[in-house]
């Protein structure tokens, strides 16, 4: 019985991954545009750092190369994190756009399987896209990653996955709560994460309330620890506290977000919000 | 397994008792009006026997789609109880979902994906999709007289009639015990409409499925349905076999048509009502 149920859910999980892959293949032109857009954004940040010296803004105590590396790692990581976040957060919205939301929601599949299927593809695609951009950026700016501790970076990357999924699932609830304004709110959340998480600056430069809010964002710990690993060669034991915080956040965020998603789905079914497209 | 199958045959496919559903409709724009309550289903009670094709007749806005959505576990009723093969649609929604599929008036597909990709996705969600699926899909499409080359073209390039056939093929492959069809022929040309109607008969004959079909096409209901339920403003006004209803509402010894029956029980002409609403929308 349990084995049958597991097989059923595993099959459905593959179905969601396959569906996402097919959608991306069919929308390849848009994907090419987004890839180019992300690449251009990262390159712009890199050239911004290069241009600081021409403005006479050589950062005191920090070499320009370090500043450039700091910014580029932030930009590259944001490309990955924001893409994964966006894909999960827009799981419901996309189904609404396509008109398939009712079909998917009446399928005999657990919601956790549905959400994890979307998440799994997003993670794989996000890594592939960030790697493609990295392959251009690293040689172009002759980034010195000789001191990088890749094992530590990988550890943080893995630990960050759970809270990232949790945040995405929480945001995916918004279009279920409000078909009219949920999509806009999801974009707003993404913008706020960019501001609070120290993508291009340490969060200590933020005013106190924003600084404190930034401490609640898992992306803050991800960015900070990956930078430590890549710029200063921090060992796995050095980044362990950050990994532990990320894991703890994930262990809270994932079940909480799935529980909230189920509550929001029940509410949408009670109020008739599932079908409404705004 | 056999016990379960026999049990299922003995149970009514659908039982609804006092189902009521209200929606809050809020005004839009700068001067937002206070929300208005709309009663979509008003204490609806009905039973659908296993293996029957039951038609739900009513104009646009009569509550047909709401009724189907309640059974599809997409809407939670405010009052009353509804069950599918004995499973409660609210408390045992997961069990209900394993027994149903729905073909809706608008083709619910990923439009850029091909029929094959859409059907494969559905097959995966309904426990199949492994080796041999492509062959089975091709066989079903042949049966529906859909050219093989349509299988890999984006859905958006297919006509409405072809899309509706793919929707039916998709439901075939998931082998539902209860097929919920929400105006599957609305907006189709006469030929496609007839082809889809033929398919409904095939679903019953070959798949032994129970079909609940909502429609505002009286001829369609008369041709396909073993029983019809007339719904207006969320209330069941009459139900029975088309023949019984026509006999019951006969005047001067002349048997009534379903249109006469609808006029007598609701005080409205169904076709006019539908045309007015379509013109206004």
């Amino acid at each position: 019985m349990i084995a049958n149920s597991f097989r059923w859910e595993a099959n459905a999980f593959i179905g969601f991954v396959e569906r996402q892959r097919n959608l991306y293949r069919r929308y390849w032109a848009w994907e090419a545009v987004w890839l180019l857009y992300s690449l251009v954004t990262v390159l712009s940040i890199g050239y911004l750092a290069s241009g600081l010296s021409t403005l006479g803004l050589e950062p005191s105590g920090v070499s320009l190369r370090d500043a450039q590396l700091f910014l580029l790692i932030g930009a590259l990581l944001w490309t990955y994190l924001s893409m994964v976040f966006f894909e999960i957060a827009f799981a419901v919205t996309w189904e609404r756009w396509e008109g398939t939301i009712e079909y998917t929601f009446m399928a005999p599949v657990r919601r956790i399987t549905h959400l994890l299927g979307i998440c799994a593809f997003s993670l794989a695609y996000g890594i592939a896209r960030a790697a493609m951009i990295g392959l251009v950026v690293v040689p172009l700016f002759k980034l010195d990653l000789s001191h990088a501790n890749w094992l530590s970076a990988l550890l943080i990357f893995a630990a960050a996955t759970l809270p990232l999924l949790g945040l995405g699932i929480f945001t995916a609830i918004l279009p279920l709560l409000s078909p009219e304004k949920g999509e806009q709110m999801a974009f707003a959340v993404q913008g706020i994460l960019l501001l609070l998480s120290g993508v291009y600056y340490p969060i200590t430069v933020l005013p106190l309330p924003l600084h404190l809010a930034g401490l609640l964002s898992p992306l803050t710990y991800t960015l900070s620890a990956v930078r430590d690993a890549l710029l200063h060669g921090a060992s796995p034991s050095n980044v362990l506290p950050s990994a532990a915080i990320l894991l703890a956040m994930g262990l809270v965020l994932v079940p909480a977000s799935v529980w909230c998603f189920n509550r929001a789905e029940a509410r949408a079914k009670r109020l008739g919000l599932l079908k409404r497209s705004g | 397994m056999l016990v379960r199958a026999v049990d299922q045959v003995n149970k009514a496919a659908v039982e609804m008792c006092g189902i009521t559903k209200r929606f809050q409709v809020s005004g839009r724009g700068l001067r937002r009006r206070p929300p208005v309550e709309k009663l979509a289903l008003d204490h609806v009670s009905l039973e659908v026997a296993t293996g029957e094709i039951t038609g739900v007749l009513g104009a646009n806005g009569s509550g047909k789609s709401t009724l189907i959505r309640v059974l599809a576990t997409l809407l939670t009723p405010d009052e009353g109880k509804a069950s599918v093969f004995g499973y409660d649609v609210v408390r045992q929604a997961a069990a209900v979902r394993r027994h149903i599929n729905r073909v809706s008036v608008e083709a619910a597909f990923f439009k850029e994906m091909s029929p094959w990709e859409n059907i494969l996705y559905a097959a995966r969600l309904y426990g199949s999709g492994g080796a041999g699926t492509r062959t089975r899909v091709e066989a079903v499409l042949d049966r529906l007289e859909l050219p093989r080359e349509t299988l890999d073209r984006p859905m958006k390039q297919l006509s409405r009639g072809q899309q509706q056939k793919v929707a039916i093929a998709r439901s075939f492959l998931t082998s539902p015990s209860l097929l919920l069809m929400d105006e599957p022929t609305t907006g189709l040309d006469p030929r496609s409409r007839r082809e889809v109607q033929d398919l409904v008969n095939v679903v019953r004959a070959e798949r032994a499925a129970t079909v609940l079909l909502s429609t505002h096409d009286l001829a369609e209901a008369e041709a396909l349905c073993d029983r019809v339920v007339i719904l207006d403003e969320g209330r069941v006004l009459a139900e029975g076999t088309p023949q019984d209803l026509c006999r019951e509402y006969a005047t001067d010894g002349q048997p009534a048509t379903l249109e006469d029956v609808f006029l007598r029980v609701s005080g409205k002409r169904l076709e006019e009502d539908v045309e007015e609403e379509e013109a206004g929308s």
Side-chain angles (χ1 to χ4, degrees), chain A residues 121-202:
Chain A
F121 182 83
S122 305
L123 288 170
Y125 185 65
I127 289 169
R129 207 163 88 169
M132 278 190 269
I133 296 171
L135 284 176
V136 175
V137 170
V138 172
L140 191 69
F141 289 102
K142 298 187 178 65
L143 297 183
D144 178 16
L145 294 170
S146 56
H147 306 296
N149 189 320
W150 292 100
L151 185 64
S152 301
L154 210 64
L155 179 71
I156 290 297
F157 232 59
T161 301
L162 277 182
L164 183 60
L165 299 188
L167 270 184
I169 295 171
F170 260 124
T171 314
I173 294 170
L174 299 174
L176 270 183
L177 295 177
S178 168
E180 288 89 356
K181 298 183 187 73
E183 295 165 28
Q184 292 90 324
M185 283 156 67
F187 275 110
V189 171
Q190 196 181 18
I192 291 168
L193 282 175
L194 173 66
L195 175 72
L196 297 179
S197 307
V199 176
Y200 300 119
Y201 40 78

Side-chain angles (χ1 to χ4, degrees), chain A:
Chain A
M1 184 74 174
I2 292 170
N4 273 349
S5 177
F6 180 77
R7 247 200 312 276
W8 185 287
E9 297 297 329
N11 196 37
F13 175 86
I14 294 169
F16 284 111
V17 175
E18 260 175 3
R19 183 197 84 182
Q20 291 302 98
R21 186 203 62 196
N22 288 331
L23 277 170
Y24 279 80
R25 221 158 34 92
R26 295 282 177 179
Y27 285 103
W28 67 267
W30 274 111
E31 289 314 309
V33 168
W34 292 128
L35 178 64
L36 181 71
Y37 187 85
S38 300
L39 178 65
V40 167
T41 306
V42 176
L43 292 181
S44 304
I45 302 290
Y47 287 119
L48 180 144
S50 302
L52 286 178
S53 62
T54 63
L55 300 171
L57 295 173
E58 179 84 25
S60 57
V62 183
S63 83
L64 207 56
R65 298 294 295 170
D66 284 348
Q68 188 175 49
L69 200 53
F70 181 93
L71 287 171
L72 278 172
I73 287 172
L76 204 57
L77 273 175
W78 178 246
T79 298
Y80 165 74
L81 297 171
S82 63
M83 188 255 154
V84 173
F85 173 80
F86 180 89
E87 293 306 325
I88 301 167
F90 278 74
V92 171
T93 301
W94 196 330
E95 297 253 18
R96 249 194 234 288
W97 288 336
E98 294 274 6
T100 54
I101 186 164
E102 288 195 323
Y103 197 83
T104 299
F105 276 63
M106 66 171 234
V109 172
R110 287 176 188 275
R111 195 59 56 222
I112 182 90
T113 307
H114 172 196
L115 294 169
L116 288 181
I118 306 282
C119 293
F121 182 83
S122 305
L123 288 170
Y125 185 65
I127 289 169
R129 207 163 88 169
M132 278 190 269
I133 296 171
L135 284 176
V136 175
V137 170
V138 172
L140 191 69
F141 289 102
K142 298 187 178 65
L143 297 183
D144 178 16
L145 294 170
S146 56
H147 306 296
N149 189 320
W150 292 100
L151 185 64
S152 301
L154 210 64
L155 179 71
I156 290 297
F157 232 59
T161 301
L162 277 182
L164 183 60
L165 299 188
L167 270 184
I169 295 171
F170 260 124
T171 314
I173 294 170
L174 299 174
L176 270 183
L177 295 177
S178 168
E180 288 89 356
K181 298 183 187 73
E183 295 165 28
Q184 292 90 324
M185 283 156 67
F187 275 110
V189 171
Q190 196 181 18
I192 291 168
L193 282 175
L194 173 66
L195 175 72
L196 297 179
S197 307
V199 176
Y200 300 119
Y201 40 78
I203 61 165
T204 47
V205 304
L206 291 170
L208 188 64
L210 295 182
H211 181 182
L212 293 176
L215 292 174
L216 296 175
S217 165
L219 305 193
T220 304
Y221 302 94
T222 310
L223 285 154
S224 162
V226 169
R227 277 185 175 124
D228 276 347
L230 295 183
L231 286 172
H232 311 301
S235 66
S237 57
N238 290 138
V239 297
L240 212 53
S242 297
I245 291 172
L246 287 169
L247 274 177
M249 282 180 156
L251 290 175
V252 173
L253 281 174
V254 171
S257 62
V258 173
W259 185 83
C260 288
F261 194 100
N262 284 328
R263 304 299 302 160
E265 184 181 335
R267 177 182 176 272
K269 287 178 175 176
R270 206 172 59 246
L271 300 180
L273 300 177
L274 218 50
K275 181 69 175 63
R276 234 165 68 198
S277 54

Side-chain angles (χ1 to χ4, degrees), chain A residues 8 11-12 14-16 18-19 22-23 25-27 95 98-100 102-109 180-181 266 269-272 274-275 278, chain B residues 21 23 28 32 69 72-76 97-98 101-102 106 108-114 117 120-128 152 154 170:
Chain A
W8 185 287
N11 196 37
I14 294 169
F16 284 111
E18 260 175 3
R19 183 197 84 182
N22 288 331
L23 277 170
R25 221 158 34 92
R26 295 282 177 179
Y27 285 103
E95 297 253 18
E98 294 274 6
T100 54
E102 288 195 323
Y103 197 83
T104 299
F105 276 63
M106 66 171 234
V109 172
E180 288 89 356
K181 298 183 187 73
K269 287 178 175 176
R270 206 172 59 246
L271 300 180
L274 218 50
K275 181 69 175 63
Chain B
K21 185 71 202 167
F23 294 114
R28 291 190 174 197
R32 208 160 184 180
R69 284 199 172 93
T73 73
L74 293 167
L75 274 178
T76 310
R97 288 182 197 137
R98 288 203 179 205
N101 208 320
R102 171 170 166 250
E106 69 284 340
F109 288 111
F110 291 91
K111 311 288 185 303
E112 288 289 335
M113 281 174 20
S114 67
E117 289 161 349
L120 179 64
Y121 166 56
R124 292 271 190 213
L125 299 193
Y126 285 82
S128 57
D152 295 308
R170 179 172 63 177

Side-chain angles (χ1 to χ4, degrees), chain B residues 248-266:
Chain B
E248 190 181 334
Y249 289 92
T251 47
D252 304 330
Q254 293 291 313
T257 61
L258 267 185
E259 191 171 351
D260 297 331
V261 175
F262 191 86
L263 178 65
R264 295 278 297 280
V265 297
S266 70

